[in-house]
């Protein structure tokens, strides 16, 4: 019986259900593996299961099982060619890489302003307990991030770059842009609708409301990079740049004091920073106009 590409002709709805099944299976596999690693680590050393090495291992394993394996499974079941399904094509124009990196740097000020606005939002008074719980989750996530990344040792920095920047970019883009965005295109012919829908789901999946809108904007930009280049490697690279900047910033005390990098902008600097963000966004638009021309050649 032929299994490869067996679901290729299925409707978008059926393929979406199949993706959800693979996602659930990957999540359960990640939980099973995490439990096993925790047990084995506890047998060897209780200290290891409370350290950052354990957190990195669990985070990397979770990303592989939850995102990458379902994406590969979908590509195998829904296409005779996994490379084409996940858009694993080469980017032939060498200028695309520096232009994409420049675009990510220029987009950062707008992302920071959007993040400040997002963090200032409040739910209606009737939902105050829900808001309190959400903010507690946000604080816990921030504490875990600080614990994981706050070290300037070169070996730990490289390990964090691998797990938080490289692995996260690869697995999440293969799932959300390579797979989910492709399935959503079966529901709607207009790429803008597909890209923004995938971006909304990408942000919602992280379960961090007070970072929802900046993450959604980033997800949309990654989606457009895939649309323009027809290659998943460009959004993976952009995602890596975004995460790598965060990893390097949080690993260095001096960089953490630079609000242009952290986005923690003082009230008295908000106006000049907003003007800077406006200029930066204009350059971002220009860079991407040039990028699209290069990719269309």
């Amino acid at each position: 019986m032929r299994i490869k590409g067996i679901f290729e002709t299925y409707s978008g709805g059926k393929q979406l259900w199949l993706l959800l099944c693979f996602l659930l299976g990957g999540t359960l596999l990640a939980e099973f593996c995490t439990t096993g690693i925790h047990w084995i680590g506890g047998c060897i050393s209780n200290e290891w299961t409370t350290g950052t090495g354990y957190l990195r291992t669990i985070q990397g394993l979770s990303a592989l099982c939850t995102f990458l394996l379902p994406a590969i499974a979908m590509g195998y079941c829904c296409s005779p060619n996994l490379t084409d399904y996940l858009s694993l094509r080469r980017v032939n124009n060498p200028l695309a890489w520096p232009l994409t990196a420049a675009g990510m740097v220029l987009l950062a000020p707008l992302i920071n302003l959007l993040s400040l606005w997002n963090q200032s939002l409040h739910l209606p008074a009737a939902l105050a307990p829900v808001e309190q719980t959400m903010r507690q989750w946000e604080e816990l996530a921030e504490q875990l991030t600080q614990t994981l990344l706050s070290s300037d040792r070169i070996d730990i920095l490289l390990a964090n770059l691998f797990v938080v920047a490289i692995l996260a970019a690869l697995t999440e883009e293969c799932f959300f842009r390579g797979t989910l965005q492709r399935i959503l295109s079966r529901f709607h012919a207009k790429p803008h609708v597909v890209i923004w829908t995938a971006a909304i789901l990408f942000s919602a999946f992280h379960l961090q409301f007070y970072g929802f809108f900046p993450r959604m904007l980033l997800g949309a930009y990654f989606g457009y990079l895939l649309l323009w280049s027809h290659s998943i490697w460009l959004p993976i690279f952009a995602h890596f740049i975004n995460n790598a900047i965060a990893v390097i910033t949080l690993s260095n005390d001096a960089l953490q004091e630079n609000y242009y990098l952290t986005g923690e902008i003082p009230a008295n600097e908000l106006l000049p920073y907003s003007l800077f963000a406006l200029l930066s966004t204009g350059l971002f638009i220009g860079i991407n106009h040039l990028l699209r021309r290069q990719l269309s050649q």
Side-chain angles (χ1 to χ4, degrees):
M1 178 180 176
R2 183 178 70 91
I3 298 177
K4 191 173 185 180
I6 192 172
F7 300 116
E8 183 179 11
T9 59
Y10 275 36
S11 66
K14 290 181 179 179
Q15 288 194 7
L16 188 58
W17 276 111
L18 183 63
L19 178 62
L20 291 174
C21 290
F22 284 139
L23 176 62
L24 177 60
T27 303
L28 292 175
L29 178 61
E31 289 295 325
F32 176 78
C33 293
T34 298
T35 302
I37 290 174
H38 185 80
W39 181 80
I40 294 172
C43 293
I44 298 173
S45 172
N46 288 328
E47 293 183 359
W48 185 75
T49 58
T50 59
T52 57
Y54 173 76
L55 292 176
R56 275 189 294 273
T57 301
I58 296 305
Q59 185 171 345
L61 184 63
S62 177
L64 289 171
C65 293
T66 306
F67 297 125
L68 187 60
L69 289 184
I72 293 174
M74 286 296 297
Y76 186 84
C77 293
C78 298
S79 173
N81 191 317
L82 178 64
T83 299
D84 286 343
Y85 186 85
L86 293 179
S87 302
L88 298 171
R89 307 178 185 89
R90 286 172 42 183
V91 178
N92 294 320
N93 194 316
L95 284 177
W97 304 103
L99 289 175
T100 299
M104 288 304 304
V105 172
L106 291 169
L107 183 60
L110 177 61
I111 292 294
N112 288 338
L113 285 180
L114 191 58
S115 180
L116 278 180
W117 170 77
N118 198 163
Q119 292 171 20
S120 69
L121 295 179
H122 294 279
L123 296 177
L127 297 176
V130 176
E131 179 176 348
Q132 183 179 5
T133 301
M134 291 167 60
R135 289 196 180 274
Q136 288 174 349
W137 288 350
E138 295 276 339
E139 291 173 3
L140 178 60
E142 185 175 350
Q143 290 172 5
L144 288 173
T145 301
Q146 288 285 351
T147 301
L148 184 65
L149 302 182
S150 57
S151 174
D152 57 359
R153 282 176 45 185
I154 187 64
D155 56 332
I156 294 180
L157 174 61
L158 292 175
N160 286 333
L161 283 172
F162 176 74
V163 174
V164 180
I166 296 176
L167 204 57
L170 173 65
T171 57
E172 292 184 17
E173 289 311 304
C174 283
F175 183 89
F176 288 101
R177 251 60 63 181
T179 304
L180 180 61
Q181 189 165 302
R182 176 180 289 275
I183 295 173
L184 292 175
S185 67
R186 300 172 74 95
F187 290 93
H188 207 290
K190 292 185 178 180
H192 301 295
V193 174
V194 172
I195 286 171
W196 283 97
T197 302
I200 290 170
L201 294 173
F202 165 70
S203 189
F205 197 90
H206 286 76
L207 298 177
Q208 292 178 318
F209 173 75
Y210 296 100
F212 179 87
F213 290 102
R215 188 175 289 109
M216 179 185 69
L217 180 59
L218 283 171
Y221 182 51
F222 300 153
Y224 280 109
L225 288 175
L226 176 59
L227 175 68
W228 300 334
S229 67
H230 305 289
S231 171
I232 197 67
W233 295 115
L234 214 55
I236 287 174
F237 178 65
H239 198 145
F240 162 76
I241 293 293
N242 178 74
N243 289 13
I245 291 173
V247 169
I248 294 171
T249 299
L250 291 174
S251 67
N252 185 282
D253 292 337
L255 292 178
Q256 288 188 54
E257 296 177 1
N258 188 328
Y259 59 81
Y260 279 84
L261 293 174
T262 64
E264 298 176 0
I265 308 158
N268 62 323
E269 294 290 338
L270 191 56
L271 179 58
Y273 188 88
S274 298
L275 295 175
F276 169 74
L278 183 63
L279 174 62
S280 180
T281 302
L283 292 174
F284 168 79
I285 294 172
I287 283 286
N288 280 280
H289 179 71
L290 178 59
L291 175 61
R292 290 184 65 182
R293 287 176 54 192
Q294 292 294 324
L295 291 172
S296 65
Q297 293 178 1

